[in-house]
């Protein structure tokens, strides 16, 4: 089921998911073997995270270690 449209601060209808990060975003994608995707999904479930949140977490942690975030 489609969620009801949201209103912007100016009152106009805004469709889609609300912003997550407070800045412009762009989609990032890459291919992996199915066996690795299954392992990623399993680990994300163990941590009670979505696959996307788990991958974001891994990237954030690596960037912190590299002093880039």
């Amino acid at each position: 089921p489609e969620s009801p449209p949201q209103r912007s601060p100016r009152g106009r209808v805004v469709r889609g998911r609300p912003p997550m990060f407070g800045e412009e975003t762009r989609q990032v994608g890459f291919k992996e073997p199915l066996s690795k995707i299954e392992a990623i999904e399993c680990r994300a479930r163990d941590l009670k995270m979505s696959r996307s949140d788990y991958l974001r977490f891994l990237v954030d942690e690596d960037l912190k270690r590299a002093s880039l975030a």
Side-chain angles (χ1 to χ4, degrees), residues 1 13-14 17 22 29 31 35-36 39 42-44 46 51 64 66 69:
V13 174
V14 177
R17 183 179 194 167
K31 295 182 184 213
S35 59
K36 189 177 286 187
C42 181
R43 182 64 177 143
D46 289 347
R51 180 174 64 185
K64 284 179 200 172

Side-chain angles (χ1 to χ4, degrees), residues 46-59:
D46 289 347
L47 296 171
K48 307 224 181 321
M49 301 171 89
S50 69
R51 180 174 64 185
S52 293
D53 286 340
Y54 174 62
L55 292 171
R56 281 187 204 99
F57 167 78
L58 292 175
V59 169

Side-chain angles (χ1 to χ4, degrees), residues 34-46:
L34 290 178
S35 59
K36 189 177 286 187
I37 293 169
E38 289 169 1
I40 289 168
E41 290 173 342
C42 181
R43 182 64 177 143
R45 266 193 313 275
D46 289 347

